[in-house]
Structure formats: C-alpha cells, structure tokens
Amino acid sequence: MRRLLISGLRGAALALLLAGAAGAADAPGMGVLRGVDKAHGEEREIAERVEWFKSRRGLDDAPAAAAARARAVTDLRRTLAGGMPALLADESWQPLGPDGMTMLDWAMGRVAGRVSALAVDPGDEDHVWLGAAAGGLWETTDGGQSWQQRFDQIGTESIGSILIEDGAPDHVWVGTGEADAGCLDYFGMGLFYSADGGQTFEPRNGDGDTAMPLSFVTALAQSPLDHQLLLVGGKGHCNESGSSGSGGIFRSADAGQTWTQVFVASSVRDLLFDPLDGATVYASIRSKGIYKSTDAGQTWNLLDNGLPVNSAAANSRIAMAPGDPAILYALVGASNGANLQLYRSGDAGASWTEVNDDTCEGQCSYNLTLDVNPVDPDQLLVGTIRPALSTDGGSTLTLLTAGWGGQQSVHQDTHIVRYSRNDGNRFWIGSDGGLWRSDDGGGSFANLNANLEITQFYDIAIDPDNPDRVFGGAQDNSSSRGDGDLVGEVEAVERLVKQ
C-alpha cells in the first residue's frame, strides 16, 4: 500500500507566488490575491495564518481540541513503548518528498523548510545534526551533501535544541518542541538521548515528582566538567487539559534520570556554560532578561547593570565569545520585536554597554539569533530577517544577502547563525528555507539542503487523474508541484478572495 508522508505545518510567512487569472478581477465581489511585500517582516500575516490554521481544523469549535492532542501524544508514547503496532507492521511507506524545492532560478538554490536547531561536531565539521520545526531530526556526515532521518520512531517531529557531548560525538541529546510552536499544533515530548550516534534514542525526562515535563525544550546545556549535569529550558508543558503550564529551567545531576525545577518562567531561549568553569551559566529568559548562575544552575541572579529587564526584555538572546568567555553579547528588546538593542559585556556580565540600537530588520519576536567568532571576539553574526555581520564589536552590522527576490543567496527569516569552533571564516545559517554554509566569512554560500524533507505544508491537493502529482502550499516557501519525483517545482497559483 502506498501512503503520503507530509511534514508538519506551522509558522511565519507563507508566501505564495500568485498569478492573476484573466478577467478574475472583474468577477463580482472577487479580486486577485497579490503577493506579500516581505521587506519589513510579516507580523500581521503570521497572526492571520495561525488563525487560519485553527479555523481550517475547527480547533476553536472542537471541545478541548488541544486536550485531545495531548492525550493522543500520551497514547502514542505507550504504543511505541511496546514496539510497532501490528496494524502498521505490514505497511509499506514511500516518501513523496519533496527533497527540497526549486525556487525558480533564484541565487539561494533549492529550499527545504524551517531549521530550528543545529549542532556541529567540532572534531569533524562534516558531521552535523539538524533539527526542523516540524520535520524531525537529520544527520549528515558529508557536510550536507546528503542527510539521514534519525527520529521517525520517536513520536514527534518538532525539534527545539540539539547538543553533541563534548569529546563523545556519538552521544547526542535532543530537546523536542520548537520555540514557535504551541499546544494547539505540533509540540514535543521532552528530552531524548542517544549513546550510539543516533541509531536509537531513549527519553530522559524523569518520572513522577522528579519529572521534567516540558513540551518545548528550546535550550539545552551540559556542564563541561561533569557530563552528568544537564540544564534544559523551555516554554511550558501541554497538559491534559490542553493548556500550557509554566516553563522555566530544569536541572539534572544524573544525566536526566531525575530533575529539579530551578527557575519558573514563561520561556527560556538560551543556556550557556562557561567552557572553562563548570559553575558559571548564563540564561536568556523571556520577559525577564539575562540571568547568571555561579553554582551550576542551582540559583540565578538577574544581570541588570546596563541591560533592560522585565517587559523591556520580552525578547532576548545571549552569546559568548568562545575564545574569551568573559565577553558576552545580548540582544534584548520589547515584545513587538521592533525596538531591539545589542549589548556587550567584557566582565562576564557584571556590566553591559549598548553598542547598537538598530539591530532588528523585522519580526524579531520570531527570527532572532546571534553567535560570536571563535578567533576574534569583535566579530559576530546577528540573524533577524536576514543574517548580518559585525567586525567592530557590534557597532555596525552589514547584511550578508540581498533582499527577497532572485538575488537573495540565503533564504530569509533567520533562526540559526552558528560559527565553526575551529575556523573564524566558516559559519552556518539556518532559516525558513533550510541550511547554508559560508567558508569565506560570508562572501559566498553553499546550499546544504540536498535531500532534506522538512517542508512545512499548510495544505496539499492531489491530482484526481494522476495520484503522483501532488500540489502543496508551504510555510514561507511558495506553492510547489511534485510529478512523481522527489524535488518540488515552484507552482504559480491563482487564488480568488472575497472583497
């Protein structure tokens, strides 16, 4: 039997390439839907698509729709714990793709879907783990020329964080549930661990009173001196009622067998250990600010000497200079994501100086990330709509790609910027369109989307005369057509809307 596999859907910025039908604008009460101007972000369109997602599925009208989803996840865990169900044992599944999608003849090349997490093996940078917003966990051992799916049997395809254990690249930790999902759509199932290079995974969420219940594990850190000591952070637990309980920071001293909540918060985006000191940790916490711990995460102190806090710090990210852990950068701003400042500390967070008050190109409550060069602490990457590079400690930022259109070399809406830990000229960019790498400091980019099947479809349609022909509308990646092969082609779509 042949079935259709579809990646999940959710998010920001569906951009259909729309062509008007001749005479359609003259139809009573109808008009041709035009493309969206993406130059300054798409906050309104993002909100509208969330409402469309709910209304399309009747989630607002169904009694306790989110609770039903939560119960289904619980049932799935029990089912998978007992092995593959007999009902599915004889099923033969074949992927219909897409293995990426052409984006006309644009400079960016083939596109895939939203990248939400990335981990690079510092001992072999051709070995990379990638997490997708709703497309699962993928591994490459050839620098992104080909990818293998590693998470199909877990029960969730939403990935929020990935960690490769220092000195043990076969030991991989994966936090499920990405930062921009919610309890009404595709949430995660906690933290998972592999000791065999991703061949198998087991949950490490504790149990009972010592459980780590997060449905969105968006930050993950391991002590450099004690690999049994873990910290995870996230934005909540999708409970049996279908609502989200509080998130925060959880700590384990026994490699995830038992957990203690050490900080209560609505959302945590970053957790960073000082690589030279297993006691010092930093965290970026939504609507609170930047925090520091000097006892390996047991207690936390707000860093407010020069930094915004509380409502002025609704959005925040933090990065550390690998060559000098005393040098820190923080992006901090208000809830609308428009007024965002870049700060720098040279004394391990004791004091901060604003170095740039114009760092957000748009929608920074959605796309916001940064990283510091491993060799030169004055060089850093900032990702908002597009990635930008600073070579003067953040005072100036230079965009690394053209605006939306044929000359854009990297797909916009940036969620990952990640420097090599060995080469200051190499870095990776993860966005709504997939993954790219530069080996020359941003002068050029290699497309690494190869066979990544992570496109997020809002909806699909199958040609009634040819079941191999499938059409789909994807999150931020236009509409595509597949004709039996695994590479989607951009498809112009006519759509009429009531006026």
Side-chain angles (χ1 to χ4, degrees):
M1 181 180 293
R2 191 176 190 187
R3 297 290 179 86
L4 180 68
L5 296 183
I6 307 172
S7 178
L9 51 108
R10 156 76 176 156
L14 172 63
L16 295 177
L17 298 181
L18 300 166
D26 297 328
M30 305 295 285
V32 178
L33 183 64
R34 300 298 180 185
V36 174
D37 179 2
K38 305 180 72 167
H40 302 291
E42 304 157 87
E43 287 89 348
R44 180 176 62 83
E45 289 81 7
I46 291 169
E48 288 176 348
R49 281 186 287 275
V50 171
E51 291 305 313
W52 179 90
F53 180 92
K54 292 189 293 185
S55 63
R56 173 76 171 177
R57 289 151 182 81
L59 298 178
D60 285 334
D61 298 326
R69 168 76 171 120
R71 288 192 297 272
V73 169
T74 301
D75 291 343
L76 180 60
R77 286 180 177 143
R78 297 193 188 104
T79 300
L80 292 176
M84 183 63 70
L87 181 64
L88 301 178
D90 296 328
E91 294 281 352
S92 176
W93 292 82
Q94 300 179 47
L96 297 185
D99 280 1
M101 186 187 73
T102 64
M103 187 60 84
L104 304 175
D105 57 353
W106 289 11
M108 67 180 69
R110 187 187 297 188
V111 297
R114 186 158 89 244
V115 175
S116 53
L118 193 75
V120 180
D121 182 351
D124 177 8
E125 292 186 342
D126 283 339
H127 184 205
V128 179
W129 290 89
L130 178 147
L137 178 72
W138 295 76
E139 180 189 21
T140 180
T141 57
D142 58 14
Q145 300 306 303
S146 62
W147 296 86
Q148 294 77 43
Q149 233 284 8
R150 297 299 188 202
F151 226 56
D152 272 351
Q153 303 302 319
I154 297 301
T156 179
E157 299 290 338
S158 180
I159 309 298
S161 52
I162 309 170
L163 183 148
I164 300 173
E165 205 162 279
D166 186 28
D170 283 343
H171 294 195
V172 183
W173 297 85
V174 179
T176 62
E178 64 115 359
D180 291 293
C183 291
L184 276 176
D185 44 79
Y186 298 103
F187 51 85
M189 297 167 62
L191 181 68
F192 290 82
Y193 171 66
S194 174
D196 56 12
Q199 298 303 308
T200 61
F201 282 90
E202 61 182 68
R204 288 293 180 93
N205 298 308
D207 192 29
D209 293 338
T210 62
M212 192 284 295
L214 291 175
S215 299
F216 309 93
V217 180
T218 55
L220 174 57
Q222 185 177 52
S223 168
L225 305 183
D226 178 6
H227 288 179
Q228 297 287 302
L229 179 56
L230 296 167
L231 297 172
V232 301
K235 69 170 188 177
H237 166 61
C238 296
N239 53 41
E240 290 299 322
S241 69
S243 60
S244 176
S246 65
I249 301 173
F250 289 77
R251 183 179 190 272
S252 174
D254 55 12
Q257 302 296 335
T258 61
W259 295 88
T260 302
Q261 187 167 14
V262 294
F263 198 103
V264 177
S266 62
S267 177
V268 179
R269 289 306 313 270
D270 299 298
L271 288 165
L272 303 175
F273 269 100
D274 182 329
L276 306 178
D277 176 7
T280 301
V281 199
Y282 300 90
S284 61
I285 299 176
R286 183 174 179 81
S287 297
K288 290 183 179 292
I290 306 297
Y291 280 74
K292 180 178 181 178
S293 171
T294 56
D295 56 10
Q298 296 182 78
T299 60
W300 296 85
N301 297 301
L302 179 64
L303 301 181
D304 57 359
N305 186 8
L307 282 178
V309 298
N310 299 326
S311 61
N315 298 296
S316 64
R317 302 298 303 266
I318 186 171
M320 178 187 296
D324 185 351
I327 297 178
L328 304 166
Y329 290 89
L331 288 165
V332 187
S335 60
N336 62 8
N339 185 21
L340 196 80
Q341 297 84 40
L342 177 64
Y343 297 84
R344 175 179 167 133
S345 173
D347 53 14
S351 61
W352 296 80
T353 301
E354 181 184 301
V355 294
N356 197 315
D357 64 356
D358 186 22
T359 59
C360 179
E361 192 181 7
Q363 57 189 42
C364 287
S365 58
Y366 171 67
N367 41 219
L368 184 64
T369 182
L370 77 166
D371 199 20
V372 186
N373 188 289
V375 179
D376 181 357
D378 285 334
Q379 290 195 26
L380 67 149
L381 294 164
V382 172
T384 60
I385 289 182
R386 290 178 286 172
L389 173 68
S390 175
T391 59
D392 57 7
S395 296
T396 58
L397 291 166
T398 302
L399 291 167
L400 295 177
T401 182
W404 184 252
Q407 299 306 307
Q408 190 169 72
S409 56
V410 174
H411 194 294
Q412 65 186 44
D413 296 359
T414 308
H415 302 281
I416 301 289
V417 290
R418 186 65 44 81
Y419 268 110
S420 160
R421 292 303 179 248
N422 307 305
D423 181 353
N425 288 317
R426 171 177 284 188
F427 55 83
W428 291 260
I429 303 291
S431 71
D432 276 4
L435 186 67
W436 285 258
R437 188 189 71 226
S438 177
D439 293 327
D440 56 7
S444 61
F445 290 91
N447 183 302
L448 305 183
N449 291 320
N451 62 314
L452 279 175
E453 296 179 355
I454 61 174
T455 302
Q456 294 176 272
F457 283 115
Y458 284 95
D459 208 346
I460 66 165
I462 300 174
D463 187 333
D465 297 323
N466 180 3
D468 286 330
R469 173 170 286 185
V470 181
F471 299 85
Q475 186 265 329
D476 215 11
N477 288 305
S478 276
S479 298
S480 65
R481 181 192 76 250
D483 288 308
D485 57 11
L486 290 178
V487 179
E489 300 285 344
V490 167
E491 182 76 2
V493 177
E494 294 177 1
R495 183 180 176 188
L496 301 181
V497 293
K498 293 182 178 180
Q499 292 181 335

